[in-house]
Amino acid sequence: MDLLKRIPIHYRGELHDVRLVNFSVDLEEVKHRVPAHIKIRDFNGRAMISMVDVQLKKMRPVLLPFVRFNYRHIAFRLLVDDSGYNNGTSKGIFFLRAFTDKPLMVAGGRMLTDYNLESAHIEAHGNTVLIAQGNKHVRYCIGEPTPAVNDDLKQTIGALDRAYSVLGNTVRVINIQREKWPIQSVHCTGFENTFFRSARFEGAFRVFETIYYDWFPPKALAAIVPPSCAAATVGTHTS
């Protein structure tokens, strides 16, 4: 199955009605869910998760432009500390979990991507959205634009443009290219999240324009040395 994820596919598409609902959780609650070679960004003992809720349209592989698909994509994007790769600036996320209500997209996503895509019930009534899976759910109601109440959060979320994963023994990164990313602070009420026991709402943003973007093939960043091999290397002497 992992062999298909190694195929270098460049996707292109449109982002419509982007909502970014951001919340923090205790670091201890998520650190066991992340590969050891990806470092979680520390916000005073808490981890930040930027939940994206977006309508993906006209998505297609660049080499097969006639193969197109549309679906609603919702993901828990965990902010990671990748400053060592970016001259001291962190810009990356790790897909902790991702959801859609289209089974075919789940099957395809699991075969070809590192989204960690799962099936979920998604229900929308106006600006109120419910994402449910079993006895867990997220609910929120997005509102009108509001003056930014947390400029640091807006800058932090606005800078995210790459996703990290681990496949086999390799850390990989996918770069996302957008011509613009005009996120605006918006009111958000009725936030509930039972996927995490320590979830605390931090702020919400929205993009009101259609965004044209490219999702580039993953690039290998670093090979991971298994502990047994590392120990053998340390114990080897040359004369």
Side-chain angles (χ1 to χ4, degrees), residues 5 33-35 73-76 94-100 106 109-111 113-119 133 164-166:
K5 294 182 180 180
R33 305 188 191 186
V34 180
H73 181 83
I74 298 171
F76 295 152
F94 171 77
F95 282 102
L96 205 57
R97 301 181 73 171
F99 308 98
T100 185
V106 172
R110 284 185 171 275
M111 285 192 296
T113 74
D114 296 329
Y115 277 151
N116 293 325
L117 200 56
E118 309 170 36
S119 290
Q133 187 186 70
Y164 293 86
S165 64
V166 172

Side-chain angles (χ1 to χ4, degrees), residues 10 49 109 125 140 151 164 182 196 203 213 237:
H10 176 181
I49 296 174
H125 298 284
Y140 73 89
D151 286 332
Y164 293 86
F196 303 90
Y213 89 122
H237 298 277

